[in-house]
Amino acid sequence: MTSNKLSRYCDVVSLPSTPEREGLVLLHSYRTGAQWLLEGVSFRDILPYIEGKPELLRWAKNNKIVVDASEDELSAVLSENTVAMQNSDELYRVIMPTAQCSLGCTYCGQFHSPNKIDALTAASILSDIEENLGTEKYRYLKVGWFGAEPLQNLPGVRSLTQQLMQTSARHNVHYSAKMATNGLKLTGEVASELIHELSVMRLDVTLDGPAHVHDSRRFSKGGKGTFEAILGNLKSVASIRPPPGVVTVRCNVDHTNADSVEELLLILGEQGWGDAISVYFAPVHAWGDFSPQRTDSSWLAEKEIEWRYLARHLGIPVADLPARKYITCMATNKHARLYDPNGKSHSCTELPLAARETSGNAIDYDFRSFSDAIERHEVPCWQCKMLPVCGGACPKQWADGNVPCPTFKFNAHQLLLQELCRGNV
């Protein structure tokens, strides 16, 4: 009897036969990202075939495609996650510099106001970060500028960034940031400042379709369309040639705009931006206390494969295959917190500015033991082969009774085939 087994987190993808090659099988480990292409081996013969080749067996075991028959892989993966959390040397803080936003998006669950971070709140945030960096266990400080709309308070972002950089330098810590913005104030000049002076390494800008679709979903507080202004700003941003991977267009998708995504991609492809601006797709889901109909990820997964193919055909970069995720999200991360414009601390980006928050009935979820819930089989993630690259997706969505499984759970085989065709296997 063999002392080995194929990993439960190894995907086996049968590939279409060609006149030159038959019986091709792709092995992909979600624990390590390792891949191996076999030819002429049936599924039941994969393990005996690997075991019959000592060098291949050593490689397969080192890369978790094959594991010891006695290994409890669920516990092993969750233990790896726990160790990664304990050993993390990154302090992460999300900061909302203002509660103000110029948009009135149809699916937004936030309640906006003119509130901005004041000097006292800024001092409190800096004090917390200073205290944490003083423990000398961190080598990195990463800040996420979040909204409402952070560029509604660009002076506040500038001021806090300078102080955060000074604090990081005192503790010999590397500082970097990212920002989610609606793009209305993201001119090329502003983007250049953010990237080159304020150490923002990623900028996410949202377009939900071509003008007639985007403007029906993401309009100004006064009801005016915003597509042309945002596209114009992206043209200006692309002209400064930001490093690849820094500027990304996010397209929030549900059943009302899915048919227009191809048109949006064609518009973006016409700009000739090369690798300056990439794109990704995200399903609309319940946010805060607002509950639109959740987009079915399995339905969206089929569409996403088509969109990714078209985007690449048009020369627009798209995200790589999902990689190993040791920390699910900031809500499970003991090294992460969010500060709203009033200085209140939260565990999750979906909590501040929600209805229950503004009414004084806020609930601050604590999901730092989410791995234990998975191991106790309280959420179905314990039996999913995608766990190493998903981590459970969103513990808050599970707690709220939703199913937050990502699209790659349903289109992983097609994604792997696309990467194979691109020569990435």
Side-chain angles (χ1 to χ4, degrees):
M1 184 176 179
T2 180
S3 60
N4 303 305
K5 63 183 178 183
L6 274 179
S7 169
R8 66 187 289 182
Y9 302 116
C10 175
D11 222 343
V12 180
V13 185
S14 296
L15 307 179
S17 296
T18 68
E20 295 80 19
R21 308 181 77 175
E22 292 186 3
L24 288 174
V25 175
L26 176 65
L27 306 180
H28 178 88
S29 170
Y30 292 114
R31 286 183 70 173
T32 66
Q35 298 175 326
W36 193 265
L37 196 60
L38 299 178
E39 184 175 3
V41 181
S42 65
F43 178 82
R44 67 179 182 180
D45 292 331
I46 291 174
L47 184 58
Y49 177 85
I50 293 175
E51 289 180 317
K53 297 182 177 294
E55 290 188 10
L56 178 57
L57 178 61
R58 280 194 295 272
W59 179 87
K61 295 195 76 169
N62 287 338
N63 288 282
K64 303 300 182 184
I65 285 177
V66 172
V67 298
D68 291 340
S70 60
E71 180 174 350
D72 181 345
E73 286 196 88
L74 173 62
S75 293
V77 166
L78 295 177
S79 293
E80 291 169 4
N81 294 353
T82 299
V83 170
M85 174 77 73
Q86 292 172 342
N87 295 336
S88 176
D89 56 4
E90 178 182 279
L91 181 67
Y92 181 49
R93 290 294 183 264
V94 176
I95 302 175
M96 304 176 74
T98 179
Q100 189 174 21
C101 182
S102 53
L103 298 193
C105 304
T106 57
Y107 47 75
C108 180
Q110 293 183 335
F111 286 74
H112 300 139
S113 73
N115 290 355
K116 296 180 180 180
I117 284 181
D118 57 22
L120 187 63
T121 299
S124 175
I125 294 171
L126 289 164
S127 176
D128 162 71
I129 292 173
E130 181 91 50
E131 181 179 349
N132 276 275
L133 294 183
T135 63
E136 299 185 354
K137 64 181 178 182
Y138 296 110
R139 296 176 57 205
Y140 302 93
L141 169 62
K142 187 171 185 178
V143 168
W145 298 108
F146 192 66
E149 171 50 48
L151 290 181
Q152 291 287 125
N153 187 13
L154 180 54
V157 172
R158 290 186 183 117
S159 176
L160 260 175
T161 296
Q162 294 302 324
Q163 296 174 81
L164 290 167
M165 286 178 164
Q166 293 168 7
T167 300
S168 298
R170 283 198 301 273
H171 293 278
N172 196 27
V173 166
H174 180 267
Y175 173 83
S176 66
K178 61 181 181 178
M179 179 182 288
T181 171
N182 61 36
L184 276 181
K185 290 182 175 291
L186 188 69
T187 63
E189 182 179 358
V190 169
S192 181
E193 177 185 2
L194 292 172
I195 296 168
H196 300 298
E197 299 178 34
L198 305 183
S199 294
V200 174
M201 308 304 292
R202 173 161 176 154
L203 286 161
D204 276 16
V205 181
T206 302
L207 287 175
D208 277 3
H212 68 282
V213 175
H214 173 94
D215 290 346
S216 69
R217 298 157 60 88
R218 297 182 63 82
F219 39 81
S220 71
K221 286 284 198 293
K224 294 182 179 180
T226 60
F227 178 86
E228 294 299 337
I230 296 170
L231 183 64
N233 280 344
L234 286 172
K235 292 177 181 179
S236 177
V237 170
S239 70
I240 71 169
R241 303 307 302 168
V246 171
V247 183
T248 299
V249 170
R250 170 188 173 118
C251 184
N252 295 320
V253 185
D254 58 23
H255 289 272
T256 67
N257 72 327
D259 290 342
S260 70
V261 173
E262 288 189 9
E263 186 177 348
L264 171 64
L265 292 174
L266 291 171
I267 293 171
L268 297 180
E270 291 173 353
Q271 308 307 315
W273 292 334
D275 59 5
I277 298 178
S278 59
V279 66
Y280 75 102
F281 315 98
V284 173
H285 68 277
W287 181 274
D289 297 303
F290 181 76
S291 299
Q293 182 179 358
R294 179 175 176 82
T295 305
D296 179 12
S297 290
S298 61
W299 167 83
L300 180 59
E302 295 183 23
K303 301 282 189 180
E304 184 184 34
I305 292 296
E306 300 171 7
W307 299 333
R308 286 172 61 94
Y309 179 84
L310 176 60
R312 283 208 166 107
H313 177 72
L314 295 169
I316 305 170
V318 293
D320 294 328
L321 290 171
R324 181 73 168 90
K325 179 184 284 188
Y326 294 96
I327 299 176
T328 304
C329 63
M330 71 169 296
T332 66
N333 185 354
K334 69 177 183 179
H335 308 286
R337 292 297 290 179
L338 178 149
Y339 290 104
D340 69 21
N342 299 315
K344 184 173 181 180
S345 174
H346 304 265
S347 64
C348 173
T349 56
E350 295 191 11
L351 300 178
L353 308 187
R356 68 183 70 176
E357 171 73 18
T358 57
S359 65
N361 297 317
I363 300 173
D364 193 21
Y365 298 78
D366 185 354
F367 292 115
R368 285 171 291 183
S369 60
F370 184 58
S371 285
D372 295 335
I374 295 175
E375 192 152 30
R376 291 192 299 265
H377 300 185
E378 294 175 8
V379 289
C381 311
W382 70 270
Q383 59 189 339
C384 180
K385 70 173 61 178
M386 298 293 174
L387 178 63
V389 293
C390 171
C394 178
K396 180 182 179 295
Q397 290 293 314
W398 286 116
D400 289 344
N402 299 312
V403 179
C405 297
T407 54
F408 59 75
K409 175 179 179 178
F410 307 101
N411 63 17
H413 284 201
Q414 294 98 315
L415 288 177
L416 288 168
L417 286 172
Q418 279 191 352
E419 293 303 301
L420 179 64
C421 291
R422 296 178 65 229
N424 289 344
V425 175

